[in-house]
Amino acid sequence: MMTTNTTEAVQTMITPLTDALADATKHDAGNNAAGGRLRKTLQTISVGCKTARTEIQETRNSRKG
């Protein structure tokens, strides 16, 4: 996920999460399909976070001299 830089990687997670707010509202109102879409988005974000954390740690380790 972090092909260019950390800021862009974080933005690629923020955008879908922001878009998911509509599904969160629908889920709160009882729409089960929206809950499914929300869970899928959250899983994607979770994978992105794990990837970003790994790459950030690798960058930090490579900076130590």
Side-chain angles (χ1 to χ4, degrees):
M1 173 169 261
M2 294 186 58
T3 56
T4 54
N5 67 42
T6 307
T7 303
E8 288 179 10
V10 171
Q11 188 61 51
T12 63
M13 291 182 275
I14 291 171
T15 301
L17 198 53
T18 301
D19 295 343
L21 286 172
D23 279 332
T25 301
K26 290 176 185 177
H27 172 70
D28 288 344
N31 183 325
N32 287 334
R37 290 189 301 271
L38 185 57
R39 289 181 63 234
K40 182 178 178 181
T41 299
L42 293 174
Q43 181 61 36
T44 301
I45 299 301
S46 176
V47 170
C49 285
K50 288 177 184 177
T51 301
R53 285 176 46 87
T54 300
E55 292 186 13
I56 290 167
Q57 187 62 48
E58 288 172 357
T59 301
R60 287 185 64 197
N61 290 343
S62 70
R63 289 180 183 167
K64 292 180 182 178

